[in-house]
Amino acid sequence: MKALVLGGGGITGIAWETGLLTGLAAAGADLTGADRVIGTSAGSIVGSQVTSDTPLEELYRRQLLEPGAPEGPTEAPLAAIGPRVLATYAVAMLRARGDAERFGRLLGTRAVRAAARGRTPSIAERYDQVRQRLTTTQWPDRDLVVTAVDAATGELAAFRPGGEVGLEDAVNASCAVPCVYPAIPIGARTYVDGGMRSGANADLAEGCDRVVVLSPLDRSLGPIRSARQQLEELGVPYLVITPDDASRAAIGKNVLDPAARPGSARAGHAQAAAYADRVRELWG
């Protein structure tokens, strides 16, 4: 059983992953038929897109802002994970002392507080922004896993088709970057970005025998564990692809800048050539 893991990385991460997937498919290394697709934050949007009926080439055109392709929420105010937010994360990381769930609880509390004080867009505004990026609001008839973190407990939530949580709610929760976007209430619980537990949550590929990870930000920091660490523990054959120098330059310093989408998508597409053989060898 094969797993495709799509990590978080902001608006530019969506573009880079889409370009990379399109380039790999063009080189005969199509990953979109994976038996399980795991999406975290930006990866949840890409995961919902590639498991829909929308062709990869059309998804790629959306990122290039070509004529006739939807441009997404370009009218939204420019967001950024600025120094104040980074300082909040750093303090939470120190206080968590290596405990991932405590880290999630600390950030969840700050995220709820920031939204209550009007420091983030409203939930309605955020849903409108995310809806424009989705190609469907219905779960696919496939094993798609969307991750989030429970703001009160810090525990990982893994949303799937057939559950009580709709796809649109799951993706909004997965993309709820603490103190940048609002925490998302679903039923009696409230959730924040799945990337607060891991950039890709690759350990949810347990039970699969081959795993490919596309992760714009695959790093180990404090309680956050990298995809490589998680997959080494699973003992499964894997390949983790992260941005090369050209892709990092295209992505730039603000991963939430819509203007960097076309360049990030093209860079991902170009990077695919360097990995196509390795993907084909692993994927079979």
Side-chain angles (χ1 to χ4, degrees), residues 97-168:
R97 298 180 180 177
D99 185 328
E101 291 188 356
R102 177 171 169 77
F103 180 61
R105 290 195 301 273
L106 290 167
L107 282 184
T109 299
R110 294 302 296 266
V112 171
R113 189 181 305 162
R117 293 176 176 174
R119 293 177 178 169
T120 64
S122 70
I123 291 174
E125 289 171 329
R126 184 60 183 151
Y127 266 71
D128 181 61
Q129 293 167 13
V130 171
R131 190 175 298 119
Q132 294 179 61
R133 301 196 186 283
L134 295 175
T135 55
T136 179
T137 57
Q138 302 299 313
W139 283 104
D141 186 22
R142 292 180 57 185
D143 188 4
L144 171 63
V145 185
V146 173
T147 71
V149 168
D150 188 306
T153 68
E155 296 175 346
L156 174 69
F159 302 117
R160 283 181 162 95
E164 298 180 354
V165 176
L167 178 61
E168 187 174 15

Side-chain angles (χ1 to χ4, degrees), residues 223-276:
I224 297 177
R225 298 170 69 240
S226 70
R228 290 180 175 87
Q229 288 177 312
Q230 293 175 326
L231 293 171
E232 283 292 331
E233 288 189 5
L234 289 184
V236 61
Y238 70 88
L239 174 63
V240 176
I241 305 177
T242 58
D244 59 12
D245 289 343
S247 291
R248 284 194 294 271
I251 288 168
K253 295 182 178 180
N254 183 6
V255 299
L256 301 180
D257 184 0
R261 287 167 60 196
S264 300
R266 291 189 180 95
H269 196 288
Q271 187 177 345
Y275 283 90

Side-chain angles (χ1 to χ4, degrees), residues 201-221:
N201 293 294
D203 54 340
L204 293 179
E206 185 174 9
C208 298
D209 54 24
R210 281 164 285 179
V211 183
V212 174
V213 181
L214 311 187
S215 184
L217 300 170
D218 186 50
R219 61 186 61 173
S220 175
L221 186 63

